Amino acid sequence: MGLTILQQIEETVTVIRRLYPKLNESMGPKTGIVLGSGLGNLASEIAVEAAISYSDIPHFPVSTVEGHQGKLIFGQISGKRVVILSGRFHYYEGYTPAQVVYPIRVLKFLGVETLLLSNAAGGMNKAFKVGDLMVIHDHISLFVVNPLLGKNESSLGPRFPDMSEPYSKVLIARAKEIAASLKIPVHEGVYAGVTGPTFETRAEYKLLHIAGGDAVGMSTVQEVIAARHLGLAVFAMSVITDLGIREEDNIITHEEVLQAAAAAEPKLTALFKGIIESL
Ligand code: HPA
């Protein structure tokens, strides 16, 4: 018989602790970070204590996307101990929802209590411009597969998790204060999760906007569901890389998304550093 999810996580954690013995001696990181496409620069700000390739970690999915190196990086940012999942797993790559959220579950068992995520997203709110930042205060996950489908592992979390506050109100308030002090304008809104890999049709952008979405993207919601199941506090931020509700002849490309993400990245990095410092 195969291993249960809990046995897999325990094996994974054992190997990570062996490869990063300091985890055993000192307090482990309380903050986990997942960075979006084209938004990986925060990882270069970390005073690295250990960088473990995903390929050396049992049961970890292996990264396939270009520009994602696939490493678990431990170290300090702004004097705070953090762990970065450098390399994210998207459902559109063909991973199962359980694989997409596996690293999030491992973070919890390494002692993480707060999860920070970023992503590139298409703007649908008419007030948004390319390069803007949006604090995610809620999401719509109905268009993706819920990662908690199937037998519930009760040692991870409850069968029917509450989702009334997927994104921590305390962290949202703090992020807005920090943004204001750094003079970085931020919007606040609802992230509509989709599977991709196609960008949306005009009719789909319209539908998602009418349904209550301010931005749309292909990541984050499955990870947030798993994180809330585990009881982690979550904060997430979108960088608006293109405008879904747009001129008739505006075509969206992955290159444009990456370029816009890179241009907005310094703002995001400054903000995340401020939030990490405050934790
Ligand atoms: N749609 C979905 N995902 C995205 C988009 C978009 O417009 N932009 C960046 N990721």
Side-chain angles (χ1 to χ4, degrees):
M1 210 184 82
L3 296 179
T4 66
I5 178 80
L6 199 59
Q7 288 168 328
Q8 288 181 29
I9 293 169
E10 278 161 4
E11 283 192 359
T12 299
V13 167
T14 301
V15 170
I16 292 170
R17 288 190 189 281
R18 196 181 302 144
L19 294 172
Y20 180 46
K22 198 164 177 174
L23 259 186
N24 300 322
E25 300 158 16
S26 61
M27 299 263 294
K30 294 276 177 281
T31 305
I33 304 170
V34 183
L35 300 169
S37 303
L39 300 169
N41 251 354
L42 186 68
S44 63
E45 303 264 347
I46 186 169
V48 178
E49 292 175 355
I52 305 173
S53 290
Y54 288 171
S55 54
D56 293 334
I57 306 176
H59 310 303
F60 243 59
V62 173
S63 238
T64 63
V65 181
E66 242 181 279
H68 285 283
Q69 27 169 315
K71 277 192 179 134
L72 190 62
I73 306 176
F74 292 93
Q76 296 188 37
I77 294 178
S78 307
K80 298 284 159 94
R81 203 154 253 130
V82 301
V83 51
I84 298 186
L85 288 168
S86 179
R88 179 184 224 163
F89 302 101
H90 302 87
Y91 185 59
Y92 63 73
E93 294 174 81
Y95 298 108
T96 64
Q99 286 178 308
V100 170
V101 304
Y102 187 75
I104 307 295
R105 291 175 164 164
V106 169
L107 291 188
K108 163 80 180 193
F109 282 77
L110 292 172
V112 164
E113 294 170 357
T114 302
L115 183 66
L116 309 181
L117 307 107
S118 65
N119 59 56
M124 299 185 296
N125 185 315
K126 297 216 166 55
F128 292 5
K129 298 183 302 297
V130 168
D132 284 358
L133 302 182
M134 183 187 91
V135 173
I136 302 177
H137 70 204
D138 206 346
H139 74 217
I140 296 169
S141 66
L142 306 174
F143 303 109
V144 308
V145 181
N146 194 303
L148 306 183
L149 285 174
K151 186 178 177 304
N152 185 52
E153 177 57 67
S154 58
S155 52
L156 298 183
R159 170 74 289 186
F160 299 107
D162 173 69
M163 287 296 275
S164 61
E165 191 185 332
Y167 302 87
S168 159
K169 285 184 182 145
V170 170
L171 292 177
I172 291 171
R174 196 178 302 170
K176 284 162 68 180
E177 271 171 35
I178 294 166
S181 72
L182 295 172
K183 300 196 165 42
I184 298 172
V186 291
H187 300 289
E188 202 178 321
V190 173
Y191 177 91
V194 293
T195 66
T198 43
F199 289 113
E200 290 62 48
T201 65
R202 288 173 211 286
E204 287 162 352
Y205 281 120
K206 211 181 277 178
L207 168 74
L208 292 167
H209 185 46
I210 292 168
D214 295 295
V216 53
M218 305 176 194
S219 65
T220 305
V221 292
Q222 290 172 324
E223 292 152 322
V224 172
I225 289 170
R228 294 303 299 141
H229 183 234
L230 294 158
L232 300 178
V234 175
F235 175 80
M237 180 97 126
S238 290
V239 173
I240 304 303
T241 55
D242 51 273
L243 299 175
I245 308 285
R246 62 202 197 277
E247 303 296 319
E248 287 303 303
D249 58 352
N250 185 358
I251 293 170
I252 298 174
T253 65
H254 184 55
E255 288 65 38
E256 170 195 352
V257 166
L258 290 181
Q259 245 175 39
E265 180 163 39
K267 287 191 292 185
L268 180 86
T269 299
L271 201 44
F272 266 43
K273 279 173 75 176
I275 295 166
I276 292 163
E277 205 171 342
S278 80
L279 290 173

